[in-house]
Every structure is written in C-alpha cells, then in structure tokens.
C-alpha cells in the first residue's frame, strides 16, 4: 500500500521550520564563539597583569 501524499503546504512549512532551526543554530554558534573569545581575552589580560607585577622581564636567548 502506498503512503498518502504529503500536501504541498506541509512540505513548505517543514522547509521553513528547518531553515529557522538552522538559522537559530548558526546564531547560537556565533554567540558562543564571541563569548569564548571575550573569555580568552580576559584571561590573557589577567595573565598579563600578573606577569607585569610578579614575573619580571623575560629575555629570549638564541639557541645554537
């Protein structure tokens, strides 16, 4: 027995729902990435502040 045909408006509705889900997922990924970049920047600033007061100066020497 053949399954019933899906109405065209239902197919369009499902396509719209899928597109909205993909767009929301993309926005979520971009928001998470932005927040992680902000976090890493803050950690770097904290580290730079600690090193500026307690690490002294570093000197790079050439290796032969």
């Amino acid at each position: 027995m053949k399954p019933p045909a899906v109405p065209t408006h239902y197919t369009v509705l499902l396509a719209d729902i899928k597109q909205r889900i993909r767009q929301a997922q993309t926005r979520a990924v971009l928001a998470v990435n932005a927040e992680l970049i902000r976090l890493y920047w803050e950690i770097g600033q904290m580290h730079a502040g600690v090193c500026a007061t307690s690490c002294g100066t570093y000197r790079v020497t050439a290796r032969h």
Side-chain angles (χ1 to χ4, degrees), residues 2-24:
K2 194 174 183 181
V6 177
T8 304
H9 69 279
Y10 188 71
T11 304
V12 172
L13 175 66
L14 285 179
D16 184 43
I17 290 170
K18 288 178 183 181
Q19 180 184 14
R20 288 172 184 247
I21 290 171
R22 277 189 232 104
Q23 289 172 341

Side-chain angles (χ1 to χ4, degrees), residues 29-54:
V29 165
L30 293 174
V32 168
N33 285 344
E35 193 59 36
L36 285 173
I37 289 169
R38 192 173 299 115
L39 170 65
Y40 297 147
W41 177 263
E42 290 173 3
I43 291 170
Q45 293 298 309
M46 292 167 55
H47 182 262
V50 169
C51 277
T53 58
S54 64

